[in-house]
Amino acid sequence: MTANPADTTLWPAPHATGAVDATVHVPGSKSVTNRALVLSALASEPGWLRRPLRSRDTLLMADALRAMGVGIEEGVGPNGTGETWRVLPAGLRGPATIDVGNAGTVMRFLPPVAALADGEIHFDGDPRSYERPLSGVIDALRVLGARIDDDGRGTLPLTVHGGGALDGGPVEVDASTSSQFVSALLLSGPRFNQGVEVRHIGATLPSLPHIRMTVDMLRSVGAQVDTPESGGEPNVWRVTPGALLGRDLTVEPDLSNAQPFLAAALVTGGKVLVPDWPTRTTQPGDRLREIFTEMGGSCQLTEYGLQFTGSGAIHGIDVDLSDVGELTPGIAAVAALADSPSTLRGVAHLRLHETDRLAALTKEINELGGDVTETADGLHIRPRALHGGIFHTYEDHRMATAGAIIGLAVEGVQIENVATTAKTLPDFPDLWTGMLGSDGA
């Protein structure tokens, strides 16, 4: 199930010969699945996760929690209704070694959990994980009473010396590079002796919808959370200490992973139905309805899901993506095929994601004949006729799907290491070719 980070196999991106017309069942949300696993592991009673995502990131999270003593049983739901995970909380304990891969949620959400364990928990991961920012979580945990050895790097690898409990209390965090710093502390906050008060002190805060997702999920399991939106101070989140309930949660489809399929409708002038699209959600991917409509499509949310239809034209866009940065690679791919220039703003933090996404998108699209320039906080894209070639992914799942989108309209695009999509979207190549059908349309 896990992708091989060293895989350099070239995958010929399918070229569409006509308008797509497909129903695509998108697997569950990675962001919801991994938050639900953490909250279920910290609960005072067992819980169920229905239709969880099984991908590299979520399996790494499940294995990490198991290593600390949590029971996670995999099975099938009542009447064969899809896969379920039964989470059985237990006393967290070490010693344990945790492989985070290159998963931001695992490397950032679990050190606070490890601080609650009894024993040493060692964290390691892929080479790229050593380069991703983690000091916000490490420094905050030390202020809250944790013992962490990282040789002063502020990055992986590191060891958390769990003492079975953590004082908690107020802490300041600069989350300018990742909203996950805030979410990481909030998720474990109910188990801290004094709860936690997280005050963001940075100039910017990317991906606010992901913090709202964390807050909503905390409240759903009984936590009391005060937020700026609920009348609290700006940039301050407070979680009261208390027991968390075990819940029966059905995981929503991953709306960010729906992006390439909606893009296919836009690029080919076709239509794609994504079943079970939620009517209310904190997932950032829901903004695709607005963004891709502005770029030339139309959508209808029905009882069956979201139907997105392309018009046959693709328009450029000037858009601030600071709240939805993970959508940038797919939007950039569509913009490279548009009839007018685009400016994508507010995403300087993408330089610190799975790879430097701004540099990678610029290089790869330009090597196919594009005209992309980096700005201080994003990209400017001037559409040009593109040609085939190798689209490198840098072990980044969203680079791989961006290349596949371009391949729909440009013959001869080859994706290096398409297997990296298994990080959050298992079986992407099969889903992609299935959407296109046997005749490529």
Side-chain angles (χ1 to χ4, degrees):
M1 179 60 65
T2 60
N4 176 6
D7 186 0
T8 57
T9 302
L10 297 180
W11 180 66
H15 178 66
T17 57
V20 301
D21 184 355
T23 296
V24 180
H25 291 269
V26 177
S29 164
K30 179 262 294 186
S31 299
V32 172
T33 299
N34 273 357
R35 283 167 172 77
L37 282 170
V38 171
L39 291 172
S40 298
L42 295 174
S44 58
E45 56 191 355
W48 288 94
L49 270 70
R50 303 188 188 275
R51 291 166 54 183
L53 175 67
R54 285 181 57 87
S55 72
R56 186 178 190 224
D57 279 17
T58 62
L59 294 176
L60 286 168
M61 179 68 85
D63 287 346
L65 291 169
R66 288 186 182 111
M68 287 189 280
V70 177
I72 301 177
E73 301 174 348
E74 303 183 33
V76 176
N79 304 315
T81 55
E83 184 165 335
T84 64
W85 286 352
R86 177 74 160 163
V87 183
L88 306 168
L92 300 168
R93 63 181 185 273
T97 296
I98 288 173
D99 176 13
V100 309
N102 191 17
T105 51
V106 182
M107 72 178 72
R108 292 165 182 151
F109 292 177
L110 288 189
V113 176
L116 297 168
D118 185 7
E120 292 188 359
I121 312 294
H122 182 68
F123 290 82
D124 209 336
D126 296 351
R128 172 63 180 174
S129 72
Y130 293 10
E131 303 171 25
R132 300 187 67 182
L134 195 55
S135 58
V137 175
I138 295 170
D139 294 345
L141 285 174
R142 286 180 174 141
V143 169
L144 297 173
R147 288 180 54 218
I148 302 175
D149 290 338
D150 67 338
D151 292 332
R153 291 182 304 270
T155 62
L156 293 171
L158 59 85
T159 300
V160 178
H161 299 272
L166 196 66
D167 291 339
V171 66
E172 294 183 342
V173 178
D174 183 351
S176 300
T177 55
S178 176
S179 68
Q180 289 177 354
F181 294 171
V182 174
S183 287
L185 299 167
L186 298 182
L187 286 168
S188 292
R191 289 285 303 272
F192 300 165
N193 293 339
Q194 302 174 42
V196 71
E197 177 188 284
V198 181
R199 184 180 299 271
H200 167 60
I201 58 171
T204 61
L205 183 57
S207 304
L208 264 173
H210 277 127
I211 296 179
R212 296 189 189 109
M213 177 187 292
T214 297
V215 170
D216 275 10
M217 293 186 69
L218 276 162
R219 288 172 173 163
S220 76
V221 294
Q224 181 179 329
V225 188
D226 296 323
T227 71
E229 292 86 355
S230 61
E233 295 179 60
N235 292 322
V236 177
W237 294 262
R238 295 185 180 89
V239 179
T240 302
L244 298 179
L245 305 173
R247 289 296 196 200
D248 187 329
L249 172 70
T250 298
V251 178
E252 300 172 353
D254 193 312
L255 306 189
S256 294
N257 277 338
Q259 180 181 40
F261 305 102
L262 302 184
L266 188 55
V267 169
T268 68
K271 59 183 178 181
V272 168
L273 172 68
V274 178
D276 303 317
W277 193 286
T279 55
R280 177 192 174 276
T281 182
T282 52
Q283 287 193 61
D286 194 45
R287 238 192 108 193
L288 287 167
R289 293 191 288 158
E290 168 198 338
I291 293 169
F292 278 172
T293 296
E294 186 174 342
M295 296 186 80
S298 62
C299 63
Q300 182 179 12
L301 189 57
T302 72
E303 60 182 308
Y304 304 108
L306 181 73
Q307 179 163 297
F308 189 85
T309 305
S311 63
I314 307 170
H315 308 311
I317 191 170
D318 186 329
V319 62
D320 185 336
L321 299 175
S322 55
D323 277 357
V324 292
E326 66 196 57
L327 304 180
T328 302
I331 293 169
V334 173
L337 304 169
D339 57 16
S340 58
S342 295
T343 300
L344 313 184
R345 296 177 283 104
V347 287
H349 61 286
L350 294 190
R351 295 186 169 98
L352 298 169
H353 274 222
E354 280 81 345
T355 188
D356 179 341
R357 285 179 170 165
L358 300 185
L361 287 164
T362 300
K363 179 177 181 294
E364 297 309 312
I365 295 174
N366 286 350
E367 288 193 353
L368 299 182
D371 185 358
V372 182
T373 54
E374 282 193 61
T375 65
D377 71 339
L379 299 172
H380 188 62
I381 303 168
R382 303 167 194 82
R384 290 176 56 177
L386 302 182
H387 55 72
I390 296 174
F391 196 93
H392 299 91
T393 62
Y394 309 86
E395 300 170 23
D396 184 338
H397 55 133
R398 300 210 191 277
M399 286 296 295
T401 53
I405 292 168
I406 292 173
L408 289 174
V410 180
E411 290 192 72
V413 174
Q414 298 182 84
I415 311 298
E416 175 230 14
N417 189 14
V418 73
T420 196
T421 53
K423 185 177 193 294
T424 62
L425 186 51
D427 306 320
F428 169 74
D430 289 341
L431 286 170
W432 196 246
T433 54
M435 171 193 68
L436 292 169
S438 58
D439 60 355

